[in-house]
Amino acid sequence: MAEISIIIPTENSAENIDALLLSIFVQSVQATEIIFVDNASTDDTVKLLNRYVKFDKRVQVIYLKQKTN
């Protein structure tokens, strides 16, 4: 099986996370890791991502404490 890593930058994206992950989870080729890089979100993005980290071991999050350009 191919090893696939998906890297997703996020910033205040809570309203899109569920649909995005659902579209990844239903693919016939499964990603071996799904890495979110959160750019200091101020909405519920971090809270939602933390739930997915507990739900699926493939989901990882890198949290940036300060916004980057």
Side-chain angles (χ1 to χ4, degrees), residues 18-58:
D18 288 329
L20 173 67
L21 281 171
L22 179 60
S23 71
I24 293 171
F25 291 151
V26 299
Q27 296 300 310
S28 59
V29 175
Q30 294 295 305
T32 55
E33 60 184 354
I34 304 163
I35 303 168
F36 286 89
V37 181
D38 183 70
N39 194 24
S41 289
T42 56
D43 67 351
D44 286 336
T45 299
V46 170
K47 183 178 179 181
L48 189 56
L49 290 175
N50 285 335
R51 283 191 219 151
Y52 278 105
V53 166
K54 292 177 185 176
F55 171 75
D56 193 310
K57 66 180 181 177
R58 296 173 294 171

